[in-house]
Each structure stands twice: as C-alpha cells, then as structure tokens.
Amino acid sequence: MADPEVHIGDSTQATIDDGDLEMLIANNGANPAEVGETGAGEERTASEEEEKPAERTTFAEYLKSPMIELLIGSGPNQALLRAHKGLVIKSPFLANKLQGDSPPTRISLADDEVDAISCCLEWLYTGEYYPPKLPSGVLAADAGAPQTDSDGRQLLKHARVYTLAEKLGLPTLKSLSHSKIHLVNSTALAELAYARYVYSHTSSDDLTIRKPVASFWGQRSHVLRHETEGSFRTMCLDYPEFAFDVLNFVLNAEEKRAQRRGEDEVGRSGRKRPRGAL
C-alpha cells in the first residue's frame, strides 16, 4: 500500500510563522514547502527503479528472428524441422551450438527423436505440448491414443520429453513432462516398458524420475510381476540397479513397519537356527 500523499498549499504556508517552520523542519527533516513541491514519492524513486521488471521480449520479435534448421534422427526416420532462432536459443544446449563468428543455420540432433523434439518446439512456442494438462489437474483426452496405455507408448512419450529437456537445459519443460507421466492410466506391461526406458536413459543420481519407479514396483511387484509374463524377471537381470532400488524400497518399508510395531530389529544379525543347522 502506497504512503498517503502530503499536500501543503500556499494558504497553509502563509499561516506558519518562522518559529513553527523551524520546528517542522527539525521534526520532519524537510521543509514543508519542498515536500509540497516534490512529493514523498521522490524518496522512493531509487528503490522503484531497482524493482522495475526486465524488458519483455514480444512474441513478434521471436517470429522476426531467423529460422534455424534442426536435422533430427538418422536413416529413413530422419526429418528436417525449422524453428525461429529467438526461441531455439532458450535452450542453453542449442544456443551453444549457434555460437561463433559465423554461426551455423542448421543443428544436427542425430540421437534424438522427431516426436520428442516436436513436443519441445510446441512447448517453446505455446508453453504446453499435446495432450495439455487441464485446470482440473488431468490430461486432456488424446484422440489418437487409448484411454489406458497398454504398451507404454504414452508413458514413453513423456519420458522422452523429460530426458530431452534434461539434455537441452529446459527445467520447466522437464518438470511439466514428469508431471504428465503420473497422469497416464497404464497397465503393468506399460509400466515395465517405462521403467526399462528410465533405467537405460537416466543417470543413477536422477532420483526425481527413478525413485517413483522403484516405489511403484516396490509396492506392487508382488502382484504385478504375474501380469508381465516374465518381463519383470528379465528387467531385474538386465538392470540390477532397478532390482536393487525395488528391494531397497521394500526393505525400508518393512523396517519402518517394524519400528512402528516397536520391534528393535535394526542391526540384528541373529539367526533362529545355528549356522550349521540344515
């Protein structure tokens, strides 16, 4: 809330004698006549200038920037996409590739997929990518996908956007894609396909995406492993980190349950039978 303005007109000044004027100056630190001329707001000019928001780049300015070609993938699935440089350089990774005295107008992204890149470009232009999140917190219906993801395609779509956003240095897109993963209705086989992608395309210290995967299977593996037609066992053998994370979750959960029951089982190594007993 702004401070109330102080207005001292000429008639007020005429009724103040010299003694009262000196007292006012001593008490307030300013000549009332000067306050009437300049206003109390002048004292806040410096702080207001510091709080002045940064200049906004208009969307028209982005569209006026030169076009950059993005060569995506390799082989028969290779595709050439184009986007405005003003938006492309929002990615530190891509901006770095456009440095130099004679910056290139084409960037090769042979290891990336067209669908993930197109989702990223859609987000750069609009702030969202399809299917969007609704105000209610759910995903909009995707006309091209079933209501339940049975093979992992929908989960993998958002997972690939997640890893691409990590690569391109776009944390807001990374957060958005991760939130969409948890809004997909899926089967056990779809979740396992998603888990396989996560453990083959993310680093071991990326707990943001790995921890929920381990938690999901730690809570449900005793039931869901029967629905995966042996794929769960194969996944554990192919990715020991996955097996360890799931086991670690189960053991931690059991330890917490034991502590709630008041059992002191932490650190105990005793056996019910002698070591040599069979």
mmCIF file of all heavy atoms in Angstrom, residues 240-261:
data_model
loop_
_atom_site.group_PDB
_atom_site.id
_atom_site.type_symbol
_atom_site.label_atom_id
_atom_site.label_comp_id
_atom_site.label_asym_id
_atom_site.label_seq_id
_atom_site.Cartn_x
_atom_site.Cartn_y
_atom_site.Cartn_z
ATOM 1 N N PRO A 240 20.349 -54.405 -12.914
ATOM 2 C CA PRO A 240 20.495 -54.692 -11.479
ATOM 3 C C PRO A 240 20.194 -53.482 -10.591
ATOM 4 O O PRO A 240 19.728 -53.654 -9.456
ATOM 5 C CB PRO A 240 21.969 -55.107 -11.359
ATOM 6 C CG PRO A 240 22.339 -55.600 -12.717
ATOM 7 C CD PRO A 240 21.570 -54.742 -13.670
ATOM 8 N N GLU A 241 20.439 -52.277 -11.085
ATOM 9 C CA GLU A 241 20.123 -51.083 -10.300
ATOM 10 C C GLU A 241 18.626 -51.008 -10.010
ATOM 11 O O GLU A 241 18.209 -50.601 -8.922
ATOM 12 C CB GLU A 241 20.562 -49.816 -11.040
ATOM 13 C CG GLU A 241 22.036 -49.509 -10.939
ATOM 14 C CD GLU A 241 22.356 -48.173 -11.572
ATOM 15 O OE1 GLU A 241 22.300 -48.089 -12.815
ATOM 16 O OE2 GLU A 241 22.660 -47.209 -10.837
ATOM 17 N N PHE A 242 17.830 -51.394 -10.990
ATOM 18 C CA PHE A 242 16.376 -51.421 -10.803
ATOM 19 C C PHE A 242 16.009 -52.427 -9.721
ATOM 20 O O PHE A 242 15.228 -52.115 -8.803
ATOM 21 C CB PHE A 242 15.689 -51.776 -12.122
ATOM 22 C CG PHE A 242 14.224 -52.100 -11.998
ATOM 23 C CD1 PHE A 242 13.284 -51.098 -11.807
ATOM 24 C CD2 PHE A 242 13.786 -53.423 -12.071
ATOM 25 C CE1 PHE A 242 11.931 -51.400 -11.683
ATOM 26 C CE2 PHE A 242 12.435 -53.734 -11.958
ATOM 27 C CZ PHE A 242 11.508 -52.717 -11.761
ATOM 28 N N ALA A 243 16.585 -53.625 -9.795
ATOM 29 C CA ALA A 243 16.286 -54.664 -8.811
ATOM 30 C C ALA A 243 16.695 -54.207 -7.411
ATOM 31 O O ALA A 243 15.958 -54.417 -6.434
ATOM 32 C CB ALA A 243 17.000 -55.958 -9.178
ATOM 33 N N PHE A 244 17.870 -53.576 -7.321
ATOM 34 C CA PHE A 244 18.338 -53.107 -6.009
ATOM 35 C C PHE A 244 17.437 -52.005 -5.460
ATOM 36 O O PHE A 244 17.088 -52.003 -4.270
ATOM 37 C CB PHE A 244 19.771 -52.590 -6.112
ATOM 38 C CG PHE A 244 20.261 -51.978 -4.824
ATOM 39 C CD1 PHE A 244 20.721 -52.770 -3.786
ATOM 40 C CD2 PHE A 244 20.243 -50.599 -4.650
ATOM 41 C CE1 PHE A 244 21.154 -52.209 -2.592
ATOM 42 C CE2 PHE A 244 20.682 -50.021 -3.461
ATOM 43 C CZ PHE A 244 21.128 -50.839 -2.427
ATOM 44 N N ASP A 245 17.040 -51.062 -6.312
ATOM 45 C CA ASP A 245 16.194 -49.952 -5.852
ATOM 46 C C ASP A 245 14.836 -50.460 -5.359
ATOM 47 O O ASP A 245 14.311 -49.971 -4.354
ATOM 48 C CB ASP A 245 15.996 -48.938 -6.978
ATOM 49 C CG ASP A 245 17.255 -48.131 -7.255
ATOM 50 O OD1 ASP A 245 18.191 -48.193 -6.437
ATOM 51 O OD2 ASP A 245 17.303 -47.452 -8.309
ATOM 52 N N VAL A 246 14.274 -51.430 -6.078
ATOM 53 C CA VAL A 246 12.989 -52.003 -5.661
ATOM 54 C C VAL A 246 13.162 -52.736 -4.333
ATOM 55 O O VAL A 246 12.358 -52.575 -3.400
ATOM 56 C CB VAL A 246 12.428 -52.950 -6.732
ATOM 57 C CG1 VAL A 246 11.197 -53.688 -6.213
ATOM 58 C CG2 VAL A 246 12.075 -52.164 -7.998
ATOM 59 N N LEU A 247 14.216 -53.564 -4.230
ATOM 60 C CA LEU A 247 14.469 -54.304 -2.986
ATOM 61 C C LEU A 247 14.724 -53.338 -1.832
ATOM 62 O O LEU A 247 14.225 -53.537 -0.715
ATOM 63 C CB LEU A 247 15.668 -55.237 -3.173
ATOM 64 C CG LEU A 247 16.119 -56.014 -1.917
ATOM 65 C CD1 LEU A 247 14.993 -56.925 -1.429
ATOM 66 C CD2 LEU A 247 17.384 -56.821 -2.211
ATOM 67 N N ASN A 248 15.488 -52.301 -2.099
ATOM 68 C CA ASN A 248 15.789 -51.313 -1.059
ATOM 69 C C ASN A 248 14.507 -50.635 -0.560
ATOM 70 O O ASN A 248 14.346 -50.394 0.637
ATOM 71 C CB ASN A 248 16.752 -50.275 -1.611
ATOM 72 C CG ASN A 248 17.337 -49.378 -0.527
ATOM 73 O OD1 ASN A 248 17.860 -49.872 0.479
ATOM 74 N ND2 ASN A 248 17.245 -48.081 -0.720
ATOM 75 N N PHE A 249 13.600 -50.340 -1.484
ATOM 76 C CA PHE A 249 12.321 -49.741 -1.082
ATOM 77 C C PHE A 249 11.531 -50.696 -0.192
ATOM 78 O O PHE A 249 10.974 -50.291 0.838
ATOM 79 C CB PHE A 249 11.494 -49.389 -2.319
ATOM 80 C CG PHE A 249 10.122 -48.868 -1.989
ATOM 81 C CD1 PHE A 249 9.912 -47.517 -1.744
ATOM 82 C CD2 PHE A 249 9.032 -49.735 -1.901
ATOM 83 C CE1 PHE A 249 8.648 -47.039 -1.418
ATOM 84 C CE2 PHE A 249 7.769 -49.256 -1.576
ATOM 85 C CZ PHE A 249 7.585 -47.904 -1.332
ATOM 86 N N VAL A 250 11.480 -51.969 -0.578
ATOM 87 C CA VAL A 250 10.729 -52.964 0.199
ATOM 88 C C VAL A 250 11.326 -53.107 1.593
ATOM 89 O O VAL A 250 10.588 -53.144 2.600
ATOM 90 C CB VAL A 250 10.726 -54.317 -0.534
ATOM 91 C CG1 VAL A 250 10.119 -55.410 0.350
ATOM 92 C CG2 VAL A 250 9.966 -54.216 -1.851
ATOM 93 N N LEU A 251 12.659 -53.187 1.691
ATOM 94 C CA LEU A 251 13.312 -53.356 2.987
ATOM 95 C C LEU A 251 13.122 -52.124 3.870
ATOM 96 O O LEU A 251 12.905 -52.249 5.082
ATOM 97 C CB LEU A 251 14.799 -53.644 2.789
ATOM 98 C CG LEU A 251 15.135 -54.970 2.094
ATOM 99 C CD1 LEU A 251 16.632 -55.115 1.916
ATOM 100 C CD2 LEU A 251 14.562 -56.146 2.880
ATOM 101 N N ASN A 252 13.212 -50.935 3.270
ATOM 102 C CA ASN A 252 12.996 -49.703 4.043
ATOM 103 C C ASN A 252 11.568 -49.636 4.578
ATOM 104 O O ASN A 252 11.331 -49.223 5.719
ATOM 105 C CB ASN A 252 13.288 -48.472 3.189
ATOM 106 C CG ASN A 252 14.764 -48.257 2.969
ATOM 107 O OD1 ASN A 252 15.597 -48.765 3.739
ATOM 108 N ND2 ASN A 252 15.122 -47.517 1.928
ATOM 109 N N ALA A 253 10.612 -50.044 3.734
ATOM 110 C CA ALA A 253 9.217 -50.038 4.162
ATOM 111 C C ALA A 253 8.998 -51.027 5.299
ATOM 112 O O ALA A 253 8.288 -50.741 6.273
ATOM 113 C CB ALA A 253 8.309 -50.375 2.983
ATOM 114 N N GLU A 254 9.621 -52.207 5.213
ATOM 115 C CA GLU A 254 9.484 -53.204 6.268
ATOM 116 C C GLU A 254 10.137 -52.725 7.559
ATOM 117 O O GLU A 254 9.618 -52.948 8.663
ATOM 118 C CB GLU A 254 10.108 -54.534 5.816
ATOM 119 C CG GLU A 254 10.022 -55.648 6.842
ATOM 120 C CD GLU A 254 8.591 -55.952 7.258
ATOM 121 O OE1 GLU A 254 7.685 -55.831 6.404
ATOM 122 O OE2 GLU A 254 8.375 -56.316 8.440
ATOM 123 N N GLU A 255 11.273 -52.055 7.426
ATOM 124 C CA GLU A 255 11.951 -51.519 8.608
ATOM 125 C C GLU A 255 11.090 -50.482 9.321
ATOM 126 O O GLU A 255 11.000 -50.465 10.559
ATOM 127 C CB GLU A 255 13.285 -50.886 8.185
ATOM 128 C CG GLU A 255 14.103 -50.332 9.341
ATOM 129 C CD GLU A 255 15.424 -49.746 8.863
ATOM 130 O OE1 GLU A 255 15.927 -50.196 7.818
ATOM 131 O OE2 GLU A 255 15.936 -48.836 9.539
ATOM 132 N N LYS A 256 10.427 -49.633 8.553
ATOM 133 C CA LYS A 256 9.545 -48.620 9.154
ATOM 134 C C LYS A 256 8.351 -49.268 9.841
ATOM 135 O O LYS A 256 7.916 -48.830 10.913
ATOM 136 C CB LYS A 256 9.079 -47.640 8.079
ATOM 137 C CG LYS A 256 10.180 -46.744 7.543
ATOM 138 C CD LYS A 256 9.663 -45.842 6.437
ATOM 139 C CE LYS A 256 10.779 -44.970 5.886
ATOM 140 N NZ LYS A 256 10.308 -44.112 4.756
ATOM 141 N N ARG A 257 7.817 -50.336 9.224
ATOM 142 C CA ARG A 257 6.692 -51.038 9.849
ATOM 143 C C ARG A 257 7.124 -51.678 11.172
ATOM 144 O O ARG A 257 6.375 -51.668 12.157
ATOM 145 C CB ARG A 257 6.126 -52.100 8.900
ATOM 146 C CG ARG A 257 5.258 -51.539 7.786
ATOM 147 C CD ARG A 257 4.489 -52.649 7.084
ATOM 148 N NE ARG A 257 5.367 -53.528 6.326
ATOM 149 C CZ ARG A 257 5.683 -53.332 5.047
ATOM 150 N NH1 ARG A 257 5.203 -52.282 4.397
ATOM 151 N NH2 ARG A 257 6.476 -54.185 4.421
ATOM 152 N N ALA A 258 8.344 -52.237 11.183
ATOM 153 C CA ALA A 258 8.860 -52.849 12.403
ATOM 154 C C ALA A 258 9.045 -51.803 13.497
ATOM 155 O O ALA A 258 8.750 -52.053 14.666
ATOM 156 C CB ALA A 258 10.191 -53.555 12.109
ATOM 157 N N GLN A 259 9.515 -50.634 13.124
ATOM 158 C CA GLN A 259 9.702 -49.573 14.104
ATOM 159 C C GLN A 259 8.374 -49.102 14.666
ATOM 160 O O GLN A 259 8.269 -48.788 15.858
ATOM 161 C CB GLN A 259 10.459 -48.407 13.461
ATOM 162 C CG GLN A 259 11.907 -48.731 13.156
ATOM 163 C CD GLN A 259 12.607 -47.620 12.387
ATOM 164 O OE1 GLN A 259 11.958 -46.701 11.880
ATOM 165 N NE2 GLN A 259 13.924 -47.708 12.281
ATOM 166 N N ARG A 260 7.341 -49.073 13.817
ATOM 167 C CA ARG A 260 6.023 -48.682 14.303
ATOM 168 C C ARG A 260 5.452 -49.729 15.271
ATOM 169 O O ARG A 260 4.698 -49.400 16.183
ATOM 170 C CB ARG A 260 5.060 -48.464 13.139
ATOM 171 C CG ARG A 260 5.321 -47.169 12.359
ATOM 172 C CD ARG A 260 4.133 -46.833 11.483
ATOM 173 N NE ARG A 260 3.935 -47.821 10.439
ATOM 174 C CZ ARG A 260 4.463 -47.747 9.223
ATOM 175 N NH1 ARG A 260 5.233 -46.712 8.910
ATOM 176 N NH2 ARG A 260 4.219 -48.676 8.316
ATOM 177 N N ARG A 261 5.828 -50.995 15.050
ATOM 178 C CA ARG A 261 5.364 -52.048 15.958
ATOM 179 C C ARG A 261 6.174 -52.098 17.243
ATOM 180 O O ARG A 261 5.885 -52.879 18.147
ATOM 181 C CB ARG A 261 5.447 -53.413 15.253
ATOM 182 C CG ARG A 261 4.462 -53.578 14.099
ATOM 183 C CD ARG A 261 4.358 -55.040 13.685
ATOM 184 N NE ARG A 261 5.641 -55.585 13.262
ATOM 185 C CZ ARG A 261 6.032 -55.659 11.989
ATOM 186 N NH1 ARG A 261 5.230 -55.202 11.022
ATOM 187 N NH2 ARG A 261 7.206 -56.164 11.674
#
